[in-house]
Amino acid sequence: MIGSLKRTLAIATNAFREVIRDRVLYLIVLYALVMAAAWRLLPEVAATTEDKMLLDVGLAAIDVLGSIVAIFVGTGLINKEIDKRTVLVLIPKPISRAEFIIGKQLGLSAVLGVLVALMTGIYLAFLSLAQISYPVVSILIAALYLFFKLCLLTGIALMLGVFTSSLLATLLTFGIYLMGHSSRDLLALGNLSRNADIERLTQALYLVLPDLSRLDLKNQAVYGILPDSITLLSNAVYGLLYTVLVLAIAILIFSRREF
């Protein structure tokens, strides 16, 4: 057990360093530039609502940039090892394929955690410089749940990346990202249709697709409004269980691949 944990952490550390070497942290500079531009330009175009818009833009930019990393890097983590043939060196060693997948997930999740933390710090600094009042606790909780969402998205990207090309996996993950944010609307649309077949279809899609709106709290956070503690806990558990499920599927698929 201890040996398996050490091997998994070694793979996670290597994945973390690999992603960092890809200059992902440059996104921090991009985020700072976006916030600086928004701080200067929003008063020109929104004279009375610039405070609210800056709050929205900051959290939305963290979401978008983090999702880009989770999707584009996550779908290529496994394929990169296969293309470089380094997987042929790693797999014959006493490293199970489950340790390999989990290590990659932990490594990229750690990078995303660093990105979210740094961007949130920059976000709060700009709000303070602009002398905008903000609900700090709500924003920090929203940032934490954004991290949970990015971890789930990373798991989906890894799952799709183990059995298809990086390009197709990226497109599929992006599609799931979009549908995951509208899965509740899809379910409501099916109920409004009054058609039993459509209702069953939308219910099935809702069960299969991740409900990413459970982990997206940014719209409520800017007003200092969050769900109650039980709802927050159940949403966090939902994100964890869904992430574990997609990783289990990824491990199952990867274990059946021949190299």
Side-chain angles (χ1 to χ4, degrees):
M1 181 66 180
I2 296 178
S4 176
L5 180 60
K6 287 182 177 179
R7 291 191 295 270
T8 302
L9 291 178
I11 295 171
T13 302
N14 181 70
F16 179 87
R17 292 172 178 169
E18 178 185 354
V19 176
I20 293 296
R21 282 197 298 268
D22 286 340
R23 302 175 183 176
V24 167
L25 292 183
Y26 282 177
L27 288 177
I28 300 298
V29 178
L30 176 60
Y31 179 77
L33 293 175
V34 169
M35 288 300 297
W39 181 25
R40 292 301 182 186
L41 295 178
L42 285 179
E44 303 294 331
V45 298
T48 59
T49 60
E50 67 271 15
D51 291 0
K52 171 63 170 57
M53 292 184 68
L54 188 62
L55 283 165
D56 288 338
V57 167
L59 286 176
I62 296 175
D63 187 358
V64 170
L65 293 176
S67 298
I68 288 173
V69 174
I71 293 173
F72 284 90
V73 178
T75 52
L77 272 181
I78 305 299
N79 277 325
K80 185 183 295 185
E81 299 285 359
I82 296 173
D83 293 340
K84 292 181 178 178
R85 316 304 291 177
T86 51
V87 70
L88 299 176
V89 179
L90 293 172
I91 296 302
K93 292 183 178 180
I95 298 176
S96 71
R97 302 197 180 197
E99 293 167 353
F100 187 74
I101 294 293
I102 294 172
K104 292 292 187 181
Q105 168 77 21
L106 292 177
L108 182 51
S109 295
V111 173
L112 291 168
V114 171
L115 285 173
V116 170
L118 291 176
M119 286 190 288
T120 302
I122 294 171
Y123 174 59
L124 296 178
F126 269 100
L127 293 180
S128 298
L129 287 172
Q131 298 182 340
I132 297 173
S133 60
Y134 55 89
V136 62
V137 175
S138 297
I139 287 175
L140 291 177
I141 292 175
L144 176 62
Y145 274 72
L146 173 58
F147 170 68
F148 293 159
K149 183 175 77 170
L150 295 178
C151 289
L152 193 160
L153 199 59
T154 298
I156 294 172
L158 284 173
M159 178 190 69
L160 294 172
V162 297
F163 69 90
T164 187
S165 66
S166 296
L167 177 59
L168 182 57
T170 298
L171 294 175
L172 290 173
T173 307
F174 184 68
I176 291 174
Y177 171 81
L178 294 178
M179 296 183 69
H181 279 95
S182 57
S183 57
R184 289 188 181 182
D185 296 332
L186 187 65
L187 183 63
L189 183 63
N191 294 333
L192 289 173
S193 69
R194 306 290 184 176
N195 186 301
D197 292 333
I198 294 178
E199 285 186 31
R200 283 193 292 268
L201 176 61
T202 55
Q203 288 171 0
L205 288 174
Y206 180 75
L207 290 174
V208 173
L209 293 170
D211 185 359
L212 296 179
S213 62
R214 287 173 175 257
L215 305 175
D216 190 351
L217 307 178
K218 58 181 182 291
N219 291 331
Q220 302 101 303
V222 297
Y223 294 106
I225 303 171
L226 289 177
D228 58 82
S229 300
I230 295 177
T231 302
L232 285 174
L233 179 60
S234 65
N235 289 346
V237 172
Y238 171 84
L240 175 62
L241 292 178
Y242 203 104
T243 303
V244 171
L245 175 62
V246 294
L247 286 177
I249 296 172
I251 292 168
L252 178 63
I253 296 172
F254 193 58
S255 65
R256 295 177 179 274
R257 289 199 60 172
E258 299 292 337
F259 301 104

